[in-house]
Amino acid sequence: MTTRSEPTLDAQAVQVMAAERLSVLDKALPASAAGLTTAEFLATRPRLSSFMTPVMTLDDSALEANVAAMAQWCADRGVELAPHGKTTMSPVLWDRQLRSGAWGVTLATASQVRVGVHFGVQRIQLANALVDPGALQWLAQAMTEHPELEVLTWADSPGTIDAMERALTDVPVPRPIPVLVELGATGGRTGARSVDEATAVAEWIAASPVLRVAGVSGYEGALAHDSSAQSLARVRTYLQDMAALHNRIETAGHYPPDGPVYVTAGGSAYFDVVAEVLAPLAGGRTHVVVRAGAAIIHDDGFYTGITPFARDPEHHYQLRSAMHTWARVVSRPEPGLALLDAGKRDVPFDEGLPTPQLVAAELGAPARPLADATITAVNDQHAFLRLPPDSDLRVGDVVRLGLSHPCTAFDKWRWIPVLADDSDDPPVVDLIRTYF
């Protein structure tokens, strides 16, 4: 594990971000923050109790522990990490991961890549095909302006290569764009459906004057959704096909004679199987890269149940949820029911509903466990909290919610306070800006 003390981001871009003024238009921020920069606001020593509900918060100690755990796990297995930055779209959090030794950052769209390049990320894996003409022309220009920039893209068919070449006709490309051959599987998402089809894609890339074969990619998370033996076996078979594809491309001579080669898979659910199957390929110029993006945040739902660390009988590595949302009781219309002021625009709901954890009379007041309570539904701006009929929960009380699936949590917030710890009224040590 490599830890760097110096920032990894572009200093000018960070200065512009730091100069941005907070506003009463920003959700959950106190009115007193209006007109201040983040540094000026943090100088007022805000605490959790300073904010309005609903408010999503991050736990600084959990962030640090999760980043360290994932970096150590990768180092111990000889694989590299390009965490999926789409989870947070926060350059400040990307910087934490890069300082802890991450190879680079994975992103999902051309617009996200522009954010990464703007903030000075030098290695980016675009886990998607790039066929938009304007985006490809922008990338060619960015590569000219930043000779050190490396942006890997994916391709799963000759049609992808043809679309890329058409978009780059008469466009100066300073060096061939590195393309990873994406292998899929029947019933999955994108990706060539067989090793033979994927090998043909590699041949097309190798013949291109503006592209080069940079390796093999895939996403095993599209093939399974639990940690059953059947799911793990399907993932393992798919990854073995990825290894076979890499070996076939290498034997056929489709990789350029120099330059790095990447074999990349591994979302946040099966990166242990990825390392088991693909790590033996690492060595020389071949890099095995996992892309677990949720690990820095983790959760109290989907990933708690499926994380590879839970499958480690020795529990050498641990993750804990770094995100929570505090919501206020706004109605008690009948016994056994409370309505909270957080809904689909505030909390993730696609991989499980929030789970009630704590209750307090006010933000920052002493909190106690909230037992026998369940969120049964969320509307746009309300959550339905079912309680025992004799519950003493009152209008105005605040409830801390555990969340499931960080990838659909951050996009609902422009600014997210980072709390020093999990005490009742912890100080705010940072204010994270997202770029969705």
Side-chain angles (χ1 to χ4, degrees):
M1 182 176 67
T2 302
T3 301
R4 289 174 278 179
S5 58
E6 72 278 5
T8 64
L9 303 181
D10 179 81
Q12 183 176 357
V14 171
Q15 288 174 0
V16 171
M17 178 174 61
E20 188 171 354
R21 297 285 170 177
L22 306 175
S23 165
V24 293
L25 304 179
D26 293 318
K27 185 166 67 170
L29 296 189
S32 60
L36 303 180
T37 65
T38 54
E40 291 168 347
F41 173 61
L42 294 173
T44 68
R45 298 183 179 180
R47 291 182 172 270
L48 172 62
S49 56
S50 306
F51 289 76
M52 300 168 59
T53 61
V55 59
M56 178 174 158
T57 63
L58 297 176
D59 182 326
D60 188 60
S61 61
L63 291 172
E64 285 297 305
N66 292 347
V67 169
M70 197 65 205
Q72 189 62 59
W73 183 91
C74 289
D76 290 346
R77 280 151 184 79
V79 299
E80 298 179 70
L81 177 64
H84 213 320
K86 72 173 174 62
T87 299
T88 66
M89 282 308 294
S90 167
V92 170
L93 294 181
W94 299 345
D95 181 59
R96 288 197 187 204
Q97 295 167 300
L98 291 167
R99 290 196 203 196
S100 292
W103 167 89
V105 174
T106 299
L107 295 166
T109 68
S111 294
Q112 292 175 4
V113 172
R114 289 199 305 187
V115 174
V117 173
H118 175 78
F119 278 96
V121 180
Q122 295 186 6
R123 288 176 176 165
I124 296 173
Q125 180 181 171
L126 174 60
N128 216 335
L130 186 62
V131 295
D132 180 87
L136 280 162
Q137 292 159 20
W138 167 83
L139 176 59
Q141 181 62 35
M143 292 170 63
T144 299
E145 296 173 356
H146 305 280
E148 75 288 352
L149 178 63
E150 183 177 13
V151 177
L152 311 176
T153 71
W154 291 13
D156 66 359
S157 71
T160 306
I161 308 310
D162 184 56
M164 295 180 75
E165 290 182 329
R166 286 199 313 271
L168 294 170
T169 300
D170 299 325
V171 175
V173 180
R175 53 195 177 278
I177 296 172
V179 180
L180 304 174
V181 179
E182 182 189 3
L183 181 67
T186 302
R189 199 166 63 185
T190 53
R193 288 319 198 230
S194 70
V195 171
D196 287 343
E197 291 178 16
T199 303
V201 176
E203 293 174 3
W204 274 71
I205 300 171
S208 172
V210 292
L211 310 174
R212 67 176 175 86
V213 184
V216 171
S217 63
Y219 177 53
E220 75 293 339
L223 306 178
H225 212 64
D226 57 46
S227 56
S228 65
Q230 181 179 8
S231 291
L232 294 176
R234 188 179 188 198
V235 167
R236 185 172 290 105
T237 298
Y238 167 71
L239 294 167
Q240 290 168 346
D241 287 343
M242 279 189 63
L245 173 61
H246 163 70
N247 290 331
R248 185 181 294 189
I249 292 173
E250 190 168 45
T251 300
H254 295 317
Y255 290 135
D258 54 7
V261 171
Y262 301 98
V263 180
T264 175
S268 296
Y270 304 107
F271 53 77
D272 56 339
V273 189
V274 171
E276 172 195 327
V277 176
L278 299 183
L281 301 176
R285 65 172 180 157
T286 301
H287 304 261
V288 174
V289 182
V290 298
R291 305 188 305 273
I296 183 175
I297 306 299
H298 201 48
D299 70 4
D300 285 308
F302 175 71
Y303 283 114
T304 290
I306 203 171
T307 175
F309 290 174
R311 296 193 286 271
D312 175 12
E314 302 296 328
H315 298 290
H316 291 110
Y317 314 90
Q318 293 185 347
L319 301 173
R320 71 178 195 268
S321 181
M323 64 175 182
H324 301 91
T325 291
W326 286 89
R328 193 175 301 274
V329 179
V330 294
S331 178
R332 291 282 271 119
E334 58 189 63
L337 175 64
L339 279 300
L340 308 181
D341 63 354
K344 293 180 179 179
R345 296 183 178 179
D346 311 298
V347 297
F349 54 90
D350 60 317
E351 291 287 2
L353 295 176
T355 55
Q357 296 177 331
L358 303 173
V359 61
E362 187 52 79
L363 274 181
R368 57 182 172 83
L370 182 57
D372 301 320
T374 307
I375 300 293
T376 58
V378 287
N379 292 161
D380 288 352
Q381 307 287 184
H382 292 90
F384 289 73
L385 177 63
R386 296 292 175 178
L387 302 152
D390 60 351
S391 171
D392 62 356
L393 194 70
R394 302 179 303 172
V395 171
D397 286 349
V398 291
V399 176
R400 193 183 83 170
L401 301 172
L403 306 178
S404 179
H405 199 202
C407 300
T408 52
F410 279 67
D411 60 312
K412 297 165 176 60
W413 301 90
R414 180 184 300 175
W415 296 100
I416 305 173
V418 180
L419 308 179
D421 51 52
D422 61 356
S423 59
D424 287 327
D425 194 20
V428 176
V429 296
D430 204 352
L431 199 59
I432 296 296
R433 175 72 155 89
T434 66
Y435 291 86
F436 286 95

